[in-house]
Amino acid sequence: MACTCSSTAAIADRQALATRRGARSSSRHQQRRVAVRAGLVETLIKPVLQIGERLPLKEGIASFYDESSQLWESMWGDHMHHGYYPKGGAPKSNQQAQIDMIEETLKWAGVTGATKMVDVGCGIGGSSRHISRKFGCESRGITLSPFQAARANELAAAQGLGDKLQFQVADALQQPFGDGEFDLVWSMESGEHMPDKQQFVRELARVCAPGGRIIIVTWCHRVLAPGEAVLKPEEQSLLERICEAYYLPAWCSIADYERLFREQGLTDIKTADWSEEVAPFWGEVIKSAFTAEGISGLLKAGWTTIKGALVMPLMAEGFRMGLVKFVLITGRRPE
């Protein structure tokens, strides 16, 4: 009887091992297939991205958002960032998904109130208006885009928030604020534009009040595996195409951000990867871009915005490859 049980267990072990090997093989095959598809798309897009003048980084970022923000607002509304689409969740509009992204981020970070926040990379002020209405707080927003700053102030005034919210053109790496001025430091999808991530985190920590909370929501590349010094050549090549279109400097990983937070002496640090929660976003943006309204808007917006639209499939492929990650990191400045 014992011998029969042992034999049965051995057979089961072999079957389980074969299943695991099959799953790994299938996963590797899927990764290769996605990488090949991304390579083909990149090859087609690369010559197009090289057309036209390439502006210096800060000037290019400002120009990109000066050109594209009006189209984005007309197609998607106030919030210029990913939406939150949890797996198995009820269907919802893309606009509601963007509001949910703000709400879920605040909940995840444990923020239940704020007195004064800074919105770093504020877009047209969507996060500031939402959080100000939620908590009754003041907000100061900064962006490199004169169009965005003007539009954010216009919308705040129109919605009765002009006395609480102010937006201006300023560099996130040299913020025009005093030390410890804000109890909530908020950066929703602006970190990817920062050429010096260390200085970026240093400035966020400087303007944060003792006991205040810092939240960064941003795109990153995957965390390097043990023994890896750099990304694979095909991964780096894909990111370079995305950088060309969106005026992005070198990427980093969430592990890099966590290290920078610790270097600044921040506490209560935690991170999250919400790549799956935002996975439907790029498909929705691509669909909207290639409607009659979207194509008309792209042609009016100009070449910089058109290049951004052409690169959207690469962003989607990057997510599918596991290369592009949508991540969150939060920390608190010690009292």
Side-chain angles (χ1 to χ4, degrees):
M1 186 69 174
C3 182
T4 302
C5 290
S6 175
S7 176
T8 303
I11 292 171
D13 287 343
R14 286 195 295 270
Q15 290 174 336
L17 178 60
T19 299
R20 289 195 297 271
R21 285 174 175 169
R24 287 196 296 268
S25 176
S26 176
S27 176
R28 286 194 297 268
H29 178 71
Q30 175 67 16
Q31 289 171 355
R32 284 195 296 270
R33 188 167 59 186
V34 171
V36 168
R37 186 168 64 232
L40 291 173
V41 174
E42 181 194 349
T43 300
L44 293 171
I45 290 175
K46 183 176 180 178
V48 181
L49 295 179
Q50 295 173 344
I51 298 173
E53 181 186 9
R54 174 103 183 145
L55 298 172
L57 183 63
K58 286 174 61 173
E59 187 180 341
I61 294 169
S63 176
F64 178 81
Y65 287 109
D66 281 347
E67 284 189 11
S68 63
S69 294
Q70 188 171 5
L71 172 60
W72 182 275
E73 183 184 358
S74 70
M75 298 288 292
W76 281 71
D78 287 5
H79 302 286
M80 304 185 71
H81 55 75
H82 284 70
Y84 182 82
Y85 307 85
K87 192 172 183 179
K92 56 185 169 183
S93 70
N94 296 318
Q95 289 75 20
Q96 183 60 51
Q98 290 176 301
I99 293 170
D100 290 350
M101 174 58 72
I102 298 173
E103 287 290 328
E104 292 298 325
T105 299
L106 291 170
K107 186 188 304 181
W108 170 82
V111 177
T112 57
T115 302
K116 188 176 182 181
M117 68 174 280
V118 60
D119 191 348
V120 180
C122 60
I124 57 173
S127 289
S128 288
R129 290 190 296 277
H130 183 86
I131 295 172
S132 179
R133 284 192 291 265
K134 181 180 180 68
F135 295 139
C137 65
E138 297 181 12
S139 180
R140 301 293 178 265
I142 56 174
T143 172
L144 291 176
S145 164
F147 176 89
Q148 288 186 336
R151 182 60 177 152
N153 281 317
E154 181 182 13
L155 288 169
Q159 295 176 23
L161 294 169
D163 60 332
K164 288 181 174 291
L165 311 182
Q166 295 177 16
F167 303 92
Q168 66 189 93
V169 175
D171 187 344
L173 303 185
Q174 295 176 315
Q175 296 184 36
F177 307 118
D179 296 354
E181 196 167 330
F182 306 98
D183 59 346
L184 176 59
V185 177
W186 176 269
S187 171
M188 175 63 75
E189 295 188 43
S190 64
E192 55 270 15
H193 285 298
M194 306 300 167
D196 186 337
K197 303 297 193 292
Q198 183 179 48
Q199 177 63 15
F200 174 49
V201 174
R202 184 183 294 123
E203 275 293 272
L204 298 183
R206 181 185 68 78
V207 302
C208 187
R213 171 67 62 180
I214 299 169
I215 303 172
I216 298 176
V217 182
T218 189
W219 315 344
C220 281
H221 65 60
R222 65 175 178 83
V223 175
L224 296 177
E228 277 189 311
V230 295
L231 294 170
K232 298 172 184 175
E234 63 271 21
E235 293 176 323
Q236 190 59 49
S237 180
L238 186 146
L239 291 184
E240 286 172 1
R241 301 292 80 74
I242 295 171
C243 290
E244 288 174 8
Y246 293 133
Y247 283 95
L248 305 178
W251 292 50
C252 71
S253 73
I254 191 61
D256 296 320
Y257 268 118
E258 186 170 5
R259 173 179 54 80
L260 292 173
F261 268 49
R262 295 192 186 283
E263 287 177 358
Q264 289 302 312
L266 301 176
T267 61
D268 191 21
I269 299 169
K270 68 174 182 174
T271 65
D273 181 344
W274 283 6
S275 300
E276 289 190 9
E277 285 78 1
V278 304
F281 174 81
W282 283 98
E284 293 296 318
V285 175
I286 290 167
K287 283 195 297 185
S288 70
F290 294 103
T291 61
E293 181 184 358
I295 292 171
S296 174
L298 286 169
L299 293 174
K300 290 178 183 177
W303 185 240
T304 301
T305 306
I306 291 171
K307 287 197 288 187
L310 290 173
V311 165
M312 289 189 292
L314 288 183
M315 283 293 294
E317 290 293 351
F319 272 109
R320 281 192 283 268
M321 290 169 63
L323 168 64
V324 175
K325 297 292 186 179
F326 187 86
V327 298
L328 299 81
I329 183 165
T330 187
R332 187 179 297 279
R333 182 175 172 182
E335 296 276 4

